[in-house]
């Protein structure tokens, strides 16, 4: 019997081909002879096949794909032994880390059901997440430190589509989600590669302005939010395309609308409320409210998924501190679409956001030459996790605070000032 994903007939094949091409030529900028490691839900097989084709056409060495499956994941929670939730496939992640150390690129296809584990035991979910984060660390370090060129794109998984468009029949929901993914990824345009070059240029201009200001901190003020985020010593803003330590300039996220940098792990004060739900490992965490003291979250609440949130925060010491702060205008195309994607790759590009956990060494001046000890001394955070969540809206103002204490308007009502 031939495997035929449900969404095949409702997803525009021409645009899907363009997305695959953009993933390889813009997202990864894959080099001749370079190996590629792909992770994806099994329903995304049509996109993975196209990416593999374009990768080999670009001269890839060896393309290796690893698939996840929702039913298989649920079987673990229904029938797995209790002790199994403290384990993860460390051998797999060690192999991926070895591949990256040997020069392979990494591509992740996102699109899992954001509510997959919402009805499962929160304690088991938290334990499994912690075990997975621990096992994944060798591979995550290669990605977070930008040792390699990497990229994330998305595929309209039917179960994800039904969460985003619950009132539509499944084929209509899939078609709507596919259309939204293609628009946000700029593959609905005649020349997506040229469009990405222009967009990268605009994000580079925003980053250059922020780098020129050399702010000591950012102050976020809005409903439920009064937060001062100190910026790491020697921080550097980035947006759009970034050059990895292997010398390859890639676009890690497709889509992307953000400019981002590294906060100082010890210099975050105040309280902040989320403005969109966070979908984390199959659990929806909504209405997050946290309070920082000395850079550390000392109080955390959520109207939904609070138990999972607090287990995430207990992953390690760095999980309660920030590893990223990112600025996105409220008028970004993803925000303007009016769609809540329940997917961080998209929702973080509709809103300013912060990330718990691991920082990007890339976001330091001369970051490629800094040791982990130097990064820590300059305020960079270290953790097993890196989880973005959204704190921006059209009701949030942001000021940049200079080293002498003066203020510069950065955003007003969610737009660049």
């Amino acid at each position: 019997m031939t495997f035929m994903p449900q969404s095949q007939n409702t997803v525009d094949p021409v645009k899907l081909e363009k997305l695959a091409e953009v993933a390889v030529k813009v997202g990864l900028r894959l080099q001749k002879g370079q190996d590629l490691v792909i992770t994806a839900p099994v329903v995304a097989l049509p996109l993975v096949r196209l990416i593999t084709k374009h990768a080999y056409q670009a001269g890839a060495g060896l393309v290796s794909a690893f698939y996840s499956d929702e039913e298989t994941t649920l079987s673990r929670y229904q029938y797995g032994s209790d002790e199994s939730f403290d384990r993860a496939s460390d051998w797999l992640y060690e192999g991926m880390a070895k591949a990256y150390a040997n020069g392979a690129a990494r591509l992740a296809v996102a699109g899992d059901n954001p509510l997959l584990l919402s009805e499962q035991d929160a304690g088991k979910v938290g334990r499994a997440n912690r075990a997975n984060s621990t096992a994944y660390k060798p591979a995550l370090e290669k990605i977070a430190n930008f040792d390699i060129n990497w990229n994330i794109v998305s595929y309209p998984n039917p179960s994800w589509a039904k969460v985003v468009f619950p009132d539509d029949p499944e084929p209509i929901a899939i078609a709507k989600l596919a259309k939204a993914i293609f628009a946000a990824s700029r593959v609905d345009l005649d020349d997506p590669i040229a469009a990405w070059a222009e967009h990268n240029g605009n994000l580079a201009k925003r980053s250059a302005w922020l780098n020129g200001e050399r702010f000591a901190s950012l102050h976020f003020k809005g409903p439920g939010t009064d937060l001062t985020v100190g910026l790491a010593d020697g921080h550097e803003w980035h947006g759009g395309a970034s050059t990895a330590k292997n010398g390859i300039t890639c676009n890690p996220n497709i889509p992307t609308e953000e400019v981002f940098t590294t906060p100082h792990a010890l210099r975050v004060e105040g309280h902040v409320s989320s403005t969109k739900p966070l979908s984390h490992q199959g659990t929806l965490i909504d209405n997050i409210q946290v309070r920082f003291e000395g850079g550390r979250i000392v109080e955390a609440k959520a109207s939904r998924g609070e138990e999972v949130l607090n287990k995430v925060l207990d992953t390690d010491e760095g999980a309660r501190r920030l590893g990223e702060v990112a600025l996105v205008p409220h008028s970004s195309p993803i925000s303007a679409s009016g769609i809540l994607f329940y997917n961080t790759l998209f929702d973080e590009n509709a809103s300013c956001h912060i990330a718990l956990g691991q920082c990007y060494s890339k976001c330091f001046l001369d970051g490629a030459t800094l040791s982990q000890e130097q990064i820590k001394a300059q305020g960079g955070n270290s953790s097993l996790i890196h989880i973005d969540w959204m704190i921006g809206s059209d009701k949030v103002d942001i000021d940049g605070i200079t080293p002498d204490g003066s203020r510069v308007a950065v955003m007003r009502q969610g737009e660049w000032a």
Side-chain angles (χ1 to χ4, degrees):
M1 180 180 291
T2 301
F3 174 74
M4 189 68 68
Q6 289 176 282
S7 57
Q8 182 165 312
N9 295 327
T10 56
V11 178
D12 185 326
V14 174
K15 292 185 175 66
L16 193 68
E17 179 98 34
K18 284 187 175 182
L19 182 59
E21 183 179 12
V22 164
V24 172
K25 294 183 179 179
V26 176
L28 294 174
R29 299 195 192 181
L30 198 70
Q31 304 296 296
K32 287 186 177 181
Q34 188 177 25
D35 290 349
L36 174 61
V37 176
I38 303 174
T39 58
V42 69
V43 295
L45 186 59
L47 178 58
V48 175
R49 286 172 171 166
L50 292 171
I51 289 170
T52 302
K53 181 186 80 171
H54 282 279
Y56 280 126
Q57 287 177 340
L62 181 65
V63 180
S64 302
F66 299 86
Y67 297 94
S68 60
D69 172 64
E70 293 176 4
E71 290 301 319
T72 304
T73 299
L74 287 175
S75 290
R76 178 187 187 188
Y77 285 87
Q78 292 167 350
Y79 309 115
S81 63
D82 183 72
E83 58 268 22
S84 74
F85 291 94
D86 295 312
R87 298 179 55 205
S89 301
D90 50 359
W91 55 270
L92 176 62
Y93 297 132
E94 287 169 3
M96 289 181 177
K98 182 177 180 181
Y100 303 150
N102 291 335
R106 176 253 194 177
L107 190 143
V109 179
D112 291 322
N113 178 359
L115 303 182
L116 181 66
L117 302 180
S118 60
E119 302 300 321
Q120 303 307 312
D121 181 85
K124 289 182 177 179
V125 172
R127 289 162 58 198
N129 286 345
R130 178 181 173 83
N132 196 66
S133 294
T134 302
Y136 190 50
K137 186 177 182 180
L140 176 64
E141 287 179 338
K142 301 293 184 185
I143 297 164
N145 292 331
F146 272 89
D147 288 8
I148 60 169
N149 47 322
W150 57 273
N151 174 243
I152 306 175
V153 293
S154 288
Y155 184 82
N157 183 345
S159 60
W160 176 27
K162 282 297 292 176
V163 172
V164 180
F165 300 105
D167 298 328
D168 291 311
E170 185 173 283
I172 301 299
I174 295 168
K176 284 185 174 181
L177 182 57
K179 183 178 179 180
I181 290 171
F182 295 149
S185 305
R186 290 175 164 77
V187 300
D188 59 344
L189 304 174
D190 290 338
D191 190 345
I193 294 175
W196 272 101
E198 180 181 359
H199 183 51
N200 281 330
N202 291 332
L203 292 174
K205 290 176 184 176
R206 292 290 183 194
S207 299
W209 178 76
L210 288 162
N211 285 326
E213 292 294 326
R214 305 306 312 160
F215 293 127
S217 61
L218 298 176
H219 180 226
F220 294 76
K221 181 72 172 177
T225 293
D226 188 351
L227 182 73
T228 300
V229 178
L231 301 181
D233 300 333
H235 69 274
E236 186 172 50
W237 290 88
H238 288 272
S242 292
T243 303
K245 291 180 182 178
N246 61 9
I248 301 169
T249 301
C250 62
N251 265 83
N253 289 354
I254 290 181
T256 184
E257 303 290 335
E258 65 178 332
V259 290
F260 60 97
T261 196
T262 296
H264 197 294
L266 307 180
R267 299 176 188 164
V268 183
E269 303 286 344
H271 59 273
V272 62
S273 299
S274 65
T275 52
K276 293 179 184 291
L278 166 65
S279 175
H280 176 64
Q281 304 284 6
T283 301
L284 200 66
I285 307 174
D286 202 4
N287 295 315
I288 301 170
Q289 296 177 300
V290 302
R291 182 167 60 85
F292 288 87
E293 289 182 1
R296 187 175 185 272
I297 293 176
V298 295
E299 184 179 2
K301 301 176 182 178
S303 65
R304 179 175 182 176
E306 182 174 308
E307 185 176 353
V308 171
L309 171 64
N310 279 293
K311 289 185 180 299
V312 166
L313 294 176
D314 289 337
T315 300
D316 55 26
E317 169 59 23
R320 289 181 176 268
R321 300 181 186 274
L322 295 186
E324 178 190 347
V325 59
L327 304 181
V328 180
H330 182 69
S331 60
S332 80
I334 297 172
S335 177
S337 74
I339 299 171
L340 179 61
F341 286 87
Y342 299 96
N343 178 299
T344 300
L345 177 62
F346 287 82
D347 291 334
E348 73 170 3
N349 285 298
S351 169
C352 294
H353 54 275
I354 51 180
L356 304 171
Q358 181 66 41
C359 75
Y360 291 124
S361 61
K362 175 72 179 174
C363 293
F364 287 89
L365 294 168
D366 300 318
T369 67
L370 298 178
S371 67
Q372 292 303 308
E373 291 74 18
Q374 289 171 312
I375 289 171
K376 181 179 180 180
Q378 291 180 214
N381 192 34
S382 177
S383 176
L384 295 171
I385 67 168
H386 180 95
I387 301 173
D388 300 89
W389 52 285
M390 288 56 76
I391 64 169
S393 75
D394 58 355
K395 298 178 178 63
V396 174
D397 294 336
I398 304 171
D399 283 344
I401 303 175
T402 64
D404 66 8
S406 60
R407 288 176 171 261
V408 177
V410 175
M411 285 189 163
R412 289 293 179 265
Q413 295 183 320
E415 299 300 329
W416 291 105

